Amino acid sequence: MQPIELLLTHPLPSSPRQGELDGFVLHKLWEAADPDAFIAQIGERVRGVIASRPTPINEALFNRLPNVEIVSNFGVGYDQIDVDAATRHGVVVTNTPSVLDEEVADLALGLLLATVRRIPQADRYLRDGQWLKSSFPLSASLRGRTVGILGLGNIGLAIARRLSGFDVGIAYHSRRQRTDVSYRYYDSPGALAEAVDVLILIVPGTAETRHLVDAALLEKLGPNGILINVARGIVVDEQALIKALADGTILAAGLDVFEREPNVPAALIEADNVVLLPHVGSASEPTRGAMADLVIANICGWFSDKQVVTPVNQG
């Protein structure tokens, strides 16, 4: 019996289940000098894909992998995968929800505090010897603020639980009002932005959420407003945000994600009222290992008895 052949778009972090892939033939796309020629050579033999952003998994790729059965995505977000195309081709798509919720929520709170209290700026001030000349300027505060969460799914709930210990107001908008929380619900993103002075984004990156945060919404957030994005870069109109930060439409922003990663606009890098992180929301060794475990569990489950742990579609 021939071993099953898999295409890996990016390296997987080490995990306790790594050895379970030893029985497969692993084709490593990132090592190919010519990725197109590489796929042309192996495409008909590939039965599974282990995927990760930003490599697109789309109709064109499915046409080149006629025997693929499963795409096991490394990440809870799967915006780089055309799930409709996968379904048309009879391909099951899986992702890695839940195992990264707490890590991303921790990062969101850290990014919020760093942005409000200007922690990276203060660090640079000290390192540059400026403290020897004068005290660091006073920062804004989290005290007295109301924090809005745009997207109250599992990660949003984990963020809200952490915020409850900071004595701030908490409000939210989601596609549907939840019946299991007491936080104030607003029926639109704009209404939420008008009611809060911190807005945390934790919605999927889809065609529907592209540029959900635009110039009009930033205007509603106001000159004391702080935007925190731990969702996807496309949720924010980046040029509108740059202008809003420059002209005082909002006070500050903390960003872990960007529209064209890893390319970050120079205007954001140069701005002093922005805290920037290189998309590290889930990037701890334990969490990335747990995500890799789930990727492998989905692959092995499918090829052992056609069962997966975390399906996105039915294939």
Side-chain angles (χ1 to χ4, degrees):
M1 183 176 177
Q2 292 293 323
I4 294 167
E5 300 190 30
L6 306 177
L7 175 67
L8 280 67
T9 66
H10 296 81
L12 270 182
S14 60
S15 79
R17 301 190 67 151
Q18 199 83 35
E20 295 179 39
L21 293 178
D22 289 348
F24 296 88
V25 175
L26 306 180
H27 299 289
K28 301 173 181 179
L29 185 62
W30 69 91
E31 293 183 351
D34 184 339
D36 284 339
F38 183 65
I39 290 173
Q41 179 183 358
I42 66 168
E44 291 191 359
R45 305 198 305 272
V46 169
R47 293 177 59 192
V49 177
I50 293 178
S52 182
R53 296 182 77 249
T55 301
I57 310 297
N58 52 25
E59 181 80 35
L61 183 62
F62 289 126
N63 287 335
R64 302 185 73 190
L65 306 177
N67 297 306
V68 71
E69 302 171 28
I70 181 173
V71 174
S72 185
N73 187 56
F74 181 80
V76 64
Y78 46 88
D79 44 296
Q80 88 283 14
I81 300 173
D82 186 336
V83 177
D84 290 338
T87 303
R88 287 194 300 273
H89 285 262
V91 178
V92 171
V93 177
T94 66
N95 66 339
T96 60
S98 302
V99 294
L100 49 73
D101 296 352
E102 304 301 322
E103 206 74 76
V104 175
D106 287 349
L107 190 283
L109 262 291
L111 184 55
L112 171 59
L113 292 171
T115 303
V116 173
R117 294 301 312 277
R118 293 172 53 82
I119 293 173
Q121 294 91 331
D123 177 84
R124 289 196 298 270
Y125 192 87
L126 183 151
R127 292 175 188 273
D128 290 344
Q130 297 300 312
W131 194 21
L132 298 171
K133 304 172 185 177
S134 61
S135 298
F136 184 73
L138 300 179
S139 72
S141 174
L142 200 57
R143 306 281 61 76
R145 287 182 177 270
T146 299
V147 180
I149 302 174
L150 189 51
L152 202 66
N154 290 341
I155 300 175
L157 283 172
I159 293 170
R161 288 197 304 271
R162 286 156 174 76
L163 285 169
S164 65
F166 284 83
D167 194 27
V168 295
I170 301 172
Y172 76 100
H173 168 76
S174 286
R175 284 175 293 181
R176 290 176 293 277
Q177 184 173 2
R178 300 188 68 116
T179 59
D180 56 347
V181 299
S182 59
Y183 313 127
R184 180 76 178 269
Y185 171 76
Y186 289 88
D187 62 5
S188 71
L192 177 65
E194 282 187 320
V196 304
D197 43 27
V198 174
L199 186 61
I200 299 177
L201 310 180
I202 189 64
V203 293
T206 65
E208 291 73 25
T209 62
R210 184 178 185 275
H211 289 186
L212 182 63
V213 177
D214 57 10
L217 190 140
L218 292 167
E219 185 78 32
K220 293 178 189 296
L221 188 56
N224 195 40
I226 293 172
L227 180 73
I228 303 295
N229 190 4
V230 289
R232 284 288 187 260
I234 64 167
V235 175
V236 177
D237 181 339
E238 218 160 64
Q239 293 306 308
L241 175 61
I242 289 168
K243 184 175 185 301
L245 289 163
D247 64 19
T249 298
I250 67 170
L251 181 65
L255 309 173
D256 185 44
V257 290
F258 305 90
E259 281 203 73
R260 297 173 183 85
E261 296 176 4
N263 301 303
V264 179
L268 287 177
I269 293 173
E270 293 164 4
D272 189 51
N273 55 345
V274 190
V275 177
L276 307 173
L277 301 178
H279 201 154
V280 293
S282 63
S284 72
E285 291 184 4
T287 294
R288 289 290 173 89
M291 292 166 65
D293 282 352
L294 189 46
V295 165
I296 295 167
N298 280 317
I299 284 286
C300 293
W302 179 256
F303 287 112
S304 62
D305 57 11
K306 295 295 188 284
Q307 298 295 316
V308 294
V309 185
T310 51
V312 170
N313 67 344
Q314 297 302 314

